[in-house]
Amino acid sequence: MKPKKQFGQNFLMNKNVVGRMVVAAEIKAGETVLEIGPGKGVLTEALLLGGAKVFAVEKDRDLISGLKEKFAKEIKNKKLTLIQGDVRDISLSRYKLRASGYKLVANIPYYITGEILRTSLENKIYPSKMVLMVQKEVARRIMARDGKESILAVSIKAYGKPSIITYVGRGNFNPVPNVDSAIIKIDCISKDFFKGFSPKSTSPEDDVDRANNPPEADYFSEKRFFEILKTGFSHKRKFLSSNLSKMTPSSKLKTIFSEIGLSNKIRPENLTILDWKNLILGLK
């Protein structure tokens, strides 16, 4: 079947690369995996061989029939559930998936990479781990390989620990894309960042106590986090304090920056994820 451009189809053909994805996902027998865009089933087959129970969401109706034929036995044995549709419209609760109760492993269409990352991490039913094929430059931006954080990188690091598993040349796909790719892993996914504690404490024991029993003042919403993050990155060439002055008086910002050890001339790409946390707690 000829790949369809409207679905961003670039089928991964190299089984060795597929194997790297499965190993990175640390698949164990009986685990649940959500796969987006199974295509011709190369990755699906490897996940099933690893013992996973797979929910595969495929938008292209023409591919569904081939997948049904190829995996008839696995479908009958309920090892594989094929779902025809756009993953962005699928209710995970309908398939009894639960928060941190499944892994997301996929060669996703590159044109929806950002949206998949955002919606999967923000979802109440979020995965415990993600292993995705993405564009090489996107992977490098997530890891801030140029030494500068991006809004994408900070957003992901608020939920988990990203890493690059390996780079993948464009020749491993059919049709051959115009870009090279990379396998990324996002591990230890949780919402703990948003109920964390300020490190402005007096002792390590105090840190532990606040982590286990955080006071209400230490909580902040995901919505508030992204409001501040987007405002902070609204003009990259401006200082962070200048960008944030749109929502907070400069005098207050100066005090907060001093308390958490940030220069008034720091730019948003130079903050660590811990800096952002302290800043948001200070802006409450």
Side-chain angles (χ1 to χ4, degrees):
M1 181 182 295
K2 186 177 181 180
K4 299 176 183 177
K5 289 185 178 180
Q6 68 266 35
F7 292 145
Q9 291 175 345
N10 294 94
F11 300 127
L12 179 59
M13 307 302 292
N14 190 325
K15 290 190 176 182
N16 290 328
V17 175
V18 169
R20 291 293 298 272
M21 295 183 71
V22 175
V23 169
E26 300 175 281
I27 301 299
K28 296 180 178 63
E31 285 189 323
T32 299
V33 173
L34 174 64
E35 183 187 6
I36 300 171
K40 296 184 179 181
V42 176
L43 176 57
T44 313
E45 183 177 26
L47 290 168
L48 290 167
L49 286 173
K53 179 180 180 181
V54 182
F55 290 83
V57 183
E58 177 55 61
K59 187 175 182 179
D60 189 346
R61 290 181 181 275
D62 293 334
L63 289 172
I64 289 290
S65 58
L67 291 167
K68 285 182 177 179
E69 183 178 345
K70 181 175 183 176
F71 298 110
K73 180 181 178 180
E74 289 81 2
I75 292 172
K76 183 178 180 180
N77 293 336
K78 297 184 179 180
K79 296 292 185 181
L80 172 64
T81 300
L82 282 179
I83 306 165
Q84 194 282 315
D86 190 321
V87 70
R88 295 170 292 183
D89 302 324
I90 299 297
S91 171
L92 298 182
S93 60
R94 176 182 176 183
Y95 298 95
K96 298 182 180 180
L97 297 184
R98 55 184 177 79
S100 201
Y102 69 98
K103 295 175 179 178
L104 174 55
V105 186
N107 172 30
I108 56 177
Y110 290 168
Y111 74 97
I112 57 170
T113 297
E115 190 171 359
I116 292 299
L117 286 167
R118 178 178 59 80
T119 56
S120 298
L121 293 170
E122 292 180 21
N123 201 312
K124 291 182 179 180
I125 305 176
Y126 54 87
S128 62
K129 187 192 304 287
M130 298 169 68
V131 176
L132 304 174
M133 186 74 72
V134 302
Q135 288 187 35
K136 179 180 178 180
E137 290 309 310
V138 171
R140 289 178 62 84
R141 193 160 76 247
I142 290 171
M143 297 308 300
R145 286 295 168 87
D146 62 354
K148 297 179 180 179
E149 297 284 354
S150 65
I151 191 169
L152 174 64
V154 176
S155 298
I156 290 174
K157 290 169 185 175
Y159 291 99
K161 298 178 180 179
S163 60
I164 296 175
I165 301 302
T166 189
Y167 293 116
V168 181
R170 61 193 73 184
N172 292 286
F173 299 85
N174 179 41
V176 177
N178 296 322
V179 296
D180 289 324
S181 303
I183 299 171
I184 64 167
K185 176 168 69 172
I186 305 174
D187 215 347
C188 305
I189 298 172
S190 76
K191 305 277 186 175
D192 291 348
F193 177 83
F194 304 98
K195 57 181 180 182
F197 61 97
S198 169
K200 293 180 292 181
S201 56
T202 57
S203 68
E205 292 76 15
D206 185 37
D207 282 352
V208 172
D209 180 63
R210 289 169 69 84
N212 293 329
N213 302 285
E216 188 64 28
D218 282 350
Y219 285 78
F220 57 92
S221 69
E222 293 172 68
K223 181 180 178 181
R224 178 62 171 165
F225 168 69
F226 287 110
E227 283 177 352
I228 295 173
L229 190 64
K230 289 175 183 178
T231 303
F233 274 96
S234 57
H235 297 284
K236 290 185 178 180
R237 295 185 179 182
K238 290 186 176 181
F239 296 134
L240 176 63
S241 56
S242 177
N243 288 337
L244 293 179
S245 64
K246 301 172 185 176
M247 59 192 312
T248 305
S250 296
S251 57
K252 181 178 179 180
L253 285 172
K254 186 175 182 180
T255 300
I256 294 171
F257 275 45
S258 177
E259 289 178 347
I260 62 178
L262 293 180
S263 166
N264 285 320
K265 295 185 178 181
I266 197 169
R267 298 186 189 277
E269 63 263 29
N270 297 130
L271 271 71
T272 66
I273 188 66
L274 182 58
D275 290 333
W276 282 107
K277 177 176 239 182
N278 289 335
L279 178 60
I280 292 166
L281 288 168
L283 289 170
K284 285 190 65 173

